[in-house]
Coordinates of all heavy atoms in Angstrom, one line a residue:
Chain B
I126 N -2.4 -27.2 41.3 CA -1.8 -27.8 40.0 C -1.3 -26.6 39.2 O -2.1 -25.7 38.9 CB -2.8 -28.6 39.2 CG1 -3.6 -29.6 40.1 CG2 -2.2 -29.2 38.1 CD1 -4.7 -30.2 39.4
T127 N 0.0 -26.7 38.8 CA 0.5 -25.6 38.0 C 0.5 -26.0 36.5 O 0.5 -27.1 36.2 CB 1.9 -25.2 38.4 OG1 2.7 -26.5 38.3 CG2 2.0 -24.8 39.9
C128 N 0.4 -25.0 35.7 CA 0.5 -25.1 34.3 C 1.3 -24.0 33.7 O 1.2 -22.9 34.0 CB -1.0 -25.1 33.7 SG -1.1 -25.3 31.9
S129 N 2.3 -24.4 32.9 CA 3.2 -23.5 32.2 C 2.8 -23.3 30.7 O 2.5 -24.3 30.1 CB 4.6 -23.9 32.3 OG 5.0 -24.0 33.6
H130 N 2.7 -22.1 30.3 CA 2.4 -21.8 28.9 C 3.1 -20.6 28.4 O 2.6 -19.5 28.4 CB 0.8 -21.6 28.8 CG 0.2 -21.1 30.0 ND1 0.1 -19.8 30.3 CD2 -0.5 -21.7 31.0 CE1 -0.5 -19.6 31.4 NE2 -0.9 -20.8 31.8
N131 N 4.4 -20.8 28.0 CA 5.3 -19.7 27.7 C 4.8 -18.8 26.6 O 5.1 -17.6 26.5 CB 6.7 -20.2 27.5 CG 7.3 -20.7 28.8 OD1 7.1 -20.2 29.9 ND2 8.2 -21.7 28.7
N132 N 4.2 -19.4 25.6 CA 3.8 -18.7 24.4 C 2.4 -18.3 24.3 O 1.8 -18.4 23.2 CB 4.3 -19.4 23.1 CG 3.7 -20.8 23.0 OD1 3.3 -21.4 24.0 ND2 3.7 -21.4 21.8
I133 N 1.8 -18.0 25.4 CA 0.4 -17.6 25.4 C 0.2 -16.3 24.6 O 1.0 -15.4 24.7 CB -0.1 -17.4 26.9 CG1 -1.6 -17.2 26.9 CG2 0.7 -16.4 27.6 CD1 -2.2 -17.2 28.3
A134 N -0.9 -16.3 23.9 CA -1.2 -15.1 23.0 C -2.0 -14.1 23.8 O -2.7 -14.5 24.8 CB -1.9 -15.5 21.7
T135 N -2.0 -12.9 23.3 CA -2.7 -11.8 24.0 C -4.2 -12.1 24.2 O -4.7 -11.8 25.3 CB -2.5 -10.5 23.2 OG1 -1.2 -10.2 23.0 CG2 -3.2 -9.3 23.9
N136 N -4.8 -12.7 23.2 CA -6.3 -12.9 23.4 C -6.6 -14.3 23.9 O -7.8 -14.7 23.9 CB -7.0 -12.7 22.0 CG -6.4 -13.6 20.9 OD1 -5.4 -14.3 21.1 ND2 -7.2 -13.7 19.8
D137 N -5.6 -15.1 24.3 CA -5.9 -16.4 24.9 C -6.5 -16.3 26.3 O -6.0 -15.5 27.1 CB -4.6 -17.2 24.9 CG -4.2 -17.8 23.6 OD1 -5.1 -17.8 22.7 OD2 -3.1 -18.2 23.5
Y138 N -7.4 -17.2 26.6 CA -7.9 -17.4 27.9 C -7.3 -18.7 28.4 O -6.8 -19.5 27.7 CB -9.5 -17.5 27.9 CG -10.2 -16.2 27.8 CD1 -10.3 -15.5 26.7 CD2 -10.7 -15.6 29.0 CE1 -10.9 -14.3 26.6 CE2 -11.3 -14.4 29.0 CZ -11.4 -13.7 27.8 OH -12.1 -12.5 27.7
I139 N -7.4 -18.9 29.7 CA -6.9 -20.1 30.4 C -8.1 -20.8 31.0 O -8.8 -20.2 31.8 CB -5.8 -19.8 31.5 CG1 -4.6 -19.1 30.8 CG2 -5.4 -21.0 32.2 CD1 -3.7 -18.4 31.8
T140 N -8.3 -22.0 30.6 CA -9.5 -22.7 31.1 C -9.0 -24.1 31.6 O -8.2 -24.7 31.1 CB -10.5 -23.0 29.9 OG1 -10.7 -21.7 29.2 CG2 -11.8 -23.5 30.5
W141 N -9.6 -24.5 32.7 CA -9.3 -25.8 33.3 C -10.6 -26.7 33.2 O -11.7 -26.3 33.4 CB -8.9 -25.7 34.8 CG -7.5 -25.2 35.0 CD1 -7.1 -23.9 34.9 CD2 -6.4 -26.0 35.2 NE1 -5.8 -23.8 35.1 CE2 -5.3 -25.1 35.3 CE3 -6.1 -27.3 35.3 CZ2 -4.0 -25.5 35.5 CZ3 -4.9 -27.8 35.6 CH2 -3.8 -26.9 35.7
Y142 N -10.3 -28.0 32.9 CA -11.3 -29.0 32.8 C -11.0 -30.2 33.6 O -9.8 -30.5 33.8 CB -11.5 -29.4 31.3 CG -12.0 -28.4 30.4 CD1 -11.2 -27.4 29.8 CD2 -13.4 -28.3 30.1 CE1 -11.7 -26.5 28.9 CE2 -13.9 -27.3 29.3 CZ -13.0 -26.4 28.7 OH -13.5 -25.4 27.9
Q143 N -12.0 -30.8 34.1 CA -11.9 -32.0 34.9 C -12.5 -33.2 34.1 O -13.5 -33.1 33.5 CB -12.7 -31.8 36.2 CG -12.7 -33.0 37.1 CD -13.8 -32.8 38.3 OE1 -14.9 -32.5 38.0 NE2 -13.3 -32.9 39.5
Q144 N -11.8 -34.3 34.2 CA -12.3 -35.5 33.5 C -12.2 -36.7 34.3 O -11.2 -37.1 34.8 CB -11.5 -35.8 32.2 CG -12.1 -36.9 31.3 CD -11.4 -37.1 30.0 OE1 -10.2 -36.9 29.9 NE2 -12.0 -37.6 29.0
F145 N -13.4 -37.4 34.5 CA -13.5 -38.7 35.1 C -13.4 -39.8 34.1 O -13.7 -39.6 32.9 CB -14.8 -38.8 35.9 CG -14.9 -37.8 37.0 CD1 -15.9 -36.8 36.9 CD2 -14.1 -37.8 38.1 CE1 -16.1 -35.9 37.9 CE2 -14.3 -36.9 39.1 CZ -15.2 -35.9 39.0
P146 N -13.0 -41.0 34.5 CA -12.9 -42.1 33.5 C -14.1 -42.3 32.7 O -15.2 -42.3 33.3 CB -12.5 -43.3 34.4 CG -11.9 -42.7 35.6 CD -12.6 -41.4 35.8
S147 N -14.0 -42.5 31.4 CA -15.1 -42.8 30.5 C -16.1 -41.7 30.4 O -17.3 -41.9 30.1 CB -15.8 -44.1 30.9 OG -14.9 -45.2 30.9
Q148 N -15.8 -40.5 30.8 CA -16.6 -39.3 30.6 C -15.9 -38.2 29.9 O -14.7 -38.2 29.8 CB -17.1 -38.8 32.0 CG -17.9 -39.7 32.8 CD -18.4 -39.1 34.1 OE1 -18.5 -37.9 34.2 NE2 -18.8 -39.9 35.0
G149 N -16.7 -37.3 29.3 CA -16.1 -36.2 28.7 C -15.7 -35.2 29.7 O -16.2 -35.1 30.8
P150 N -14.6 -34.4 29.3 CA -14.2 -33.3 30.3 C -15.3 -32.4 30.6 O -16.2 -32.1 29.7 CB -13.1 -32.7 29.5 CG -12.6 -33.7 28.5 CD -13.9 -34.4 28.1
R151 N -15.2 -31.8 31.7 CA -16.2 -30.7 32.1 C -15.5 -29.5 32.6 O -14.5 -29.6 33.3 CB -17.3 -31.3 33.1 CG -16.8 -31.6 34.4 CD -17.9 -32.0 35.3 NE -17.5 -32.2 36.7 CZ -18.3 -32.5 37.7 NH1 -19.6 -32.7 37.5 NH2 -17.8 -32.7 38.9
F152 N -16.1 -28.4 32.4 CA -15.5 -27.1 32.7 C -15.4 -26.9 34.2 O -16.3 -27.3 35.0 CB -16.4 -26.0 32.1 CG -16.0 -24.6 32.5 CD1 -15.1 -23.9 31.9 CD2 -16.7 -24.0 33.6 CE1 -14.8 -22.6 32.2 CE2 -16.4 -22.7 34.0 CZ -15.5 -22.0 33.3
I153 N -14.2 -26.4 34.7 CA -14.1 -26.0 36.1 C -14.1 -24.5 36.2 O -14.8 -23.9 37.0 CB -12.8 -26.6 36.7 CG1 -12.7 -28.1 36.6 CG2 -12.7 -26.2 38.1 CD1 -11.4 -28.7 37.1
I154 N -13.1 -23.9 35.6 CA -12.9 -22.4 35.8 C -12.2 -21.8 34.6 O -11.4 -22.6 33.9 CB -12.1 -22.2 37.1 CG1 -12.3 -20.8 37.6 CG2 -10.7 -22.6 37.0 CD1 -11.8 -20.6 39.0
Q155 N -12.4 -20.6 34.4 CA -11.7 -19.9 33.3 C -11.2 -18.5 33.8 O -11.9 -17.9 34.6 CB -12.6 -19.7 32.1 CG -11.9 -19.1 30.9 CD -12.9 -18.9 29.7 OE1 -13.9 -18.1 29.8 NE2 -12.7 -19.7 28.7
G156 N -10.0 -18.1 33.3 CA -9.6 -16.8 33.7 C -8.7 -16.2 32.6 O -8.3 -16.9 31.7
Y157 N -8.4 -14.9 32.7 CA -7.6 -14.2 31.8 C -6.3 -13.6 32.5 O -5.2 -13.8 32.0 CB -8.3 -13.0 31.1 CG -7.5 -12.3 30.0 CD1 -7.3 -12.9 28.7 CD2 -6.8 -11.2 30.3 CE1 -6.6 -12.3 27.8 CE2 -6.0 -10.5 29.3 CZ -5.9 -11.1 28.1 OH -5.1 -10.5 27.1
K158 N -6.6 -13.0 33.6 CA -5.4 -12.5 34.4 C -5.9 -12.4 35.9 O -7.0 -12.6 36.2 CB -4.9 -11.2 33.9 CG -5.9 -10.1 34.0 CD -5.3 -8.8 33.4 CE -6.3 -7.7 33.5 NZ -5.8 -6.4 32.9
T159 N -4.9 -12.3 36.8 CA -5.1 -12.1 38.2 C -5.7 -13.4 38.8 O -5.2 -14.5 38.6 CB -5.8 -10.9 38.6 OG1 -7.1 -10.9 38.1 CG2 -5.1 -9.6 38.1
K160 N -6.8 -13.2 39.5 CA -7.4 -14.4 40.3 C -8.8 -14.5 40.0 O -9.6 -13.5 39.9 CB -7.1 -14.2 41.8 CG -7.8 -15.3 42.6 CD -7.6 -15.0 44.1 CE -8.3 -16.0 45.0 NZ -8.2 -15.7 46.4
V161 N -9.3 -15.7 39.8 CA -10.7 -16.0 39.6 C -11.1 -17.1 40.6 O -10.3 -18.0 40.8 CB -11.0 -16.5 38.2 CG1 -12.5 -16.8 38.0 CG2 -10.5 -15.4 37.1
T162 N -12.2 -16.9 41.2 CA -12.7 -17.9 42.2 C -14.2 -18.2 41.9 O -15.0 -17.3 41.6 CB -12.6 -17.4 43.6 OG1 -11.2 -17.2 43.9 CG2 -13.1 -18.4 44.6
N163 N -14.5 -19.5 41.9 CA -15.9 -19.9 41.9 C -16.2 -20.9 43.0 O -15.3 -21.0 43.9 CB -16.3 -20.4 40.5 CG -15.5 -21.7 40.1 OD1 -15.0 -22.4 41.0 ND2 -15.5 -21.9 38.8
E164 N -17.3 -21.6 43.0 CA -17.7 -22.4 44.1 C -16.8 -23.7 44.2 O -16.9 -24.3 45.2 CB -19.2 -22.8 44.0 CG -19.5 -23.6 42.7 CD -19.8 -22.7 41.5 OE1 -19.5 -21.5 41.6 OE2 -20.2 -23.3 40.5
V165 N -16.1 -24.0 43.2 CA -15.3 -25.3 43.3 C -13.8 -25.0 43.2 O -13.0 -25.9 43.7 CB -15.7 -26.2 42.2 CG1 -17.1 -26.6 42.3 CG2 -15.4 -25.7 40.8
A166 N -13.3 -23.9 42.7 CA -11.9 -23.8 42.6 C -11.5 -22.3 42.5 O -12.3 -21.4 42.3 CB -11.4 -24.5 41.3
S167 N -10.2 -22.1 42.5 CA -9.6 -20.8 42.3 C -8.5 -20.9 41.2 O -7.8 -22.0 41.1 CB -9.0 -20.2 43.6 OG -10.0 -19.9 44.5

Side-chain angles (χ1 to χ4, degrees):
Chain B
I126 310 171
T127 59
C128 180
S129 298
H130 29 82
N131 289 328
N132 58 339
I133 186 170
T135 302
N136 61 346
D137 283 344
Y138 280 79
I139 299 166
T140 312
W141 284 83
Y142 292 86
Q143 176 191 56
Q144 186 180 27
F145 298 113
S147 300
Q148 293 186 23
R151 66 177 187 178
F152 173 86
I153 301 175
I154 197 166
Q155 183 181 69
Y157 184 81
K158 61 181 179 181
T159 61
K160 176 183 175 183
V161 179
T162 297
N163 62 21
E164 63 275 10
V165 299
S167 294

